[in-house]
């Protein structure tokens, strides 16, 4: 079985789907690993490192795409590369399937098996392959480090003979994997942290990390499979009003609120941004999907005339590409190892398998995932 890792085509993408450690693990399992020359240029790995780990280095991207049994990458492929895949090839990456219907159709047409890592069920068994979590964890960390490097103040309280410096105030909105890591990182750096999530259990987790939980009575806030359900417009209105004061008093607001399969809710409106102090920062980790903050622009940084900077980067984990690649590569190799048939050295697609049923979008020339069939 041949696994090919092509270079990412997005010029801003610094991560790679495989690192040398993952390459070595796959080679040990009896899988042939081919990487495109330059794969690890941005994440700190030379072709030589991959070669030593057992990979073949390819400078013939199209030929390698056409020859591979499994293609692994971080981001969704360019549409024109899907038709180049071998019939029956397995493609593993993030695919953003809720917004990429034509890409999904292209996979079906090419008779390729598309595995969307976003759709992998968040079960205990799947934790080792959970790339959403591995990347969100680093994104949460990197967002706080970015904030710290951009602030005009320090984070901790400092009592000096020249006077006392107050701790910076952070507000973390959305306490999933990224939000929890952002809280932990900001606390470690000495900031005073307030946090909010619609899931009550997340508020308790925030408190266990030393944050103050903002409690807002929104009535019923059901979650499904651990994910928050979409709030009603009335609930969103109550939330926006109740958190406005905390936003206005914060030096840094980091938003991470997402609702699985839907556009992120807009939770901070322009009038609230306008109340924030000159020099304060908003970092919107949901910017790529539309953002939690009115006025944020994906991939850009905007400063309002009141001096509030809105950062809408779309790849915070890409700020720490070596670790992001390390854990992503580990997710991929764990997945291949988990499903590898030892004897035939193949990756059989059993659609009755609980995990594959959750994340295989196309197979056998058809869209097979029930969320995308109708
Ligand atoms: P996510 O990225 O989908 O969303 C981030 C957070 O936004 C979530 O905590 C969500 O509740 C919150 N949110 C949604 N609407 C909001 C609103 N209006 N206001 C404030 N916050 C709002 O979440 P995630 O980090 O992918 O985690 C999703 C769930 O999966 C969590 O319950 C997490 O604990 C769980 N999880 C389980 C496992 C596992 O058991 N293997 C692994 C990872 C995550």
């Amino acid at each position: 079985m041949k696994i090919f890792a092509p270079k990412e085509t997005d010029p801003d993408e610094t991560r790679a789907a495989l690192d040398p450690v993952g390459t070595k693990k796959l080679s040990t399992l009896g899988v042939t690993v081919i990487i495109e020359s330059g794969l690890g240029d941005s994440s700190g790995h030379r072709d030589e490192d991959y070669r030593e780990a057992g990979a073949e280095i390819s400078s013939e991207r199209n030929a390698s795409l056409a020859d591979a049994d499994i293609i692994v990458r971080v981001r969704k492929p360019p549409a024109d590369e899907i038709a180049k895949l071998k019939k029956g090839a397995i493609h593993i990456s993030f695919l953003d399937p809720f917004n990429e219907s034509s890409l999904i159709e292209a996979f079906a047409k090419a008779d390729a098996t598309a595995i969307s890592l976003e759709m992998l069920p968040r079960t205990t068994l799947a934790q080792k392959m959970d790339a959403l979590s591995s990347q969100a964890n680093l994104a949460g960390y990197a967002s706080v480090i970015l904030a710290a490097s951009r602030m005009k103040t320090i984070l901790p309280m400092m009592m000096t003979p020249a006077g006392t410096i107050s701790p910076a105030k952070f507000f973390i909105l959305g306490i999933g994997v990224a939000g929890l890591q952002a809280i932990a990182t900001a606390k470690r750096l000495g900031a005073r942290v307030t946090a909010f999530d619609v899931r009550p259990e997340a508020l308790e987790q925030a408190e266990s990390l030393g944050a103050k939980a903002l409690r807002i009575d929104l009535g019923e806030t059901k979650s499904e499979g651990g994910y928050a359900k979409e709030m009603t417009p009335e609930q969103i209105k109550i939330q926006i009003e109740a958190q406005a004061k905390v936003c206005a008093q914060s030096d840094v607001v980091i938003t991470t609120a997402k609702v699985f399969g839907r556009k992120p809710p807009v939770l901070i409106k322009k009038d609230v941004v306008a109340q924030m102090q000159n020099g304060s920062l908003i970092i919107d980790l949901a910017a790529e999907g539309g953002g939690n903050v009115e006025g944020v622009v994906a991939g850009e940084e905007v400063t309002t005339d009141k001096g509030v900077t809105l950062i809408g980067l779309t790849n915070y984990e890409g700020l720490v590409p070596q670790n992001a690649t390390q854990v992503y590569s580990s997710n991929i190799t764990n997945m291949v190892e988990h499903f590898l048939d030892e004897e035939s050295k193949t990756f059989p697609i059993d659609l009755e398998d609980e995990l594959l049923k959750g994340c295989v979008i196309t197979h056998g020339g058809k869209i097979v995932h029930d969320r995308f069939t109708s």
Side-chain angles (χ1 to χ4, degrees), residues 121-124 126-127 130 132-133 136 173-180 196-199 201-202 205 218 225-229 231 236 239 243 256-260 265 267:
R122 308 295 274 279
T123 62
T124 307
Q127 259 175 355
D130 182 353
L132 270 186
S133 290
L173 182 52
I175 317 171
V177 179
L180 280 173
F196 177 69
D197 196 295
V198 292
R199 292 181 299 113
E201 64 272 27
Q205 290 165 353
L218 293 175
Y227 286 111
K229 286 196 89 173
M231 299 292 106
I236 295 274
Q239 179 183 348
Q243 70 195 11
T256 76
K258 290 181 189 160
V259 179
F260 190 71
L267 301 170

Side-chain angles (χ1 to χ4, degrees), residues 212-325:
K212 179 172 179 240
L214 177 67
R215 300 208 182 255
I216 305 173
D217 186 2
L218 293 175
E220 202 175 349
T221 56
K222 272 193 187 158
S223 49
E224 203 173 56
Y227 286 111
K229 286 196 89 173
E230 199 168 30
M231 299 292 106
T232 64
E234 291 74 30
Q235 286 175 311
I236 295 274
K237 191 164 171 276
I238 296 170
Q239 179 183 348
I240 288 176
E241 281 168 15
Q243 70 195 11
K245 196 166 153 209
V246 184
C247 290
Q249 292 172 345
S250 298
D251 301 299
V252 176
V253 175
I254 297 180
T255 68
T256 76
K258 290 181 189 160
V259 179
F260 190 71
R262 305 208 179 268
K263 227 170 131 25
V266 177
L267 301 170
I268 299 181
K269 300 274 195 171
K270 277 195 172 136
D271 61 325
V272 175
V273 176
Q275 288 168 37
M276 290 177 70
Q277 287 169 33
N278 179 28
S280 48
L281 290 174
I282 301 184
I283 299 190
D284 188 343
L285 270 71
E288 192 165 22
N292 294 139
V293 184
E294 216 171 52
V296 93
V297 182
E300 287 184 29
E301 203 172 302
V302 180
T303 301
T304 67
D305 49 13
K306 294 252 176 70
V308 179
T309 301
L310 280 62
I311 300 180
L313 283 186
T314 53
N315 187 0
Y316 293 88
E317 51 275 40
L319 298 173
V320 285
Q322 192 164 342
N323 289 135
T325 297

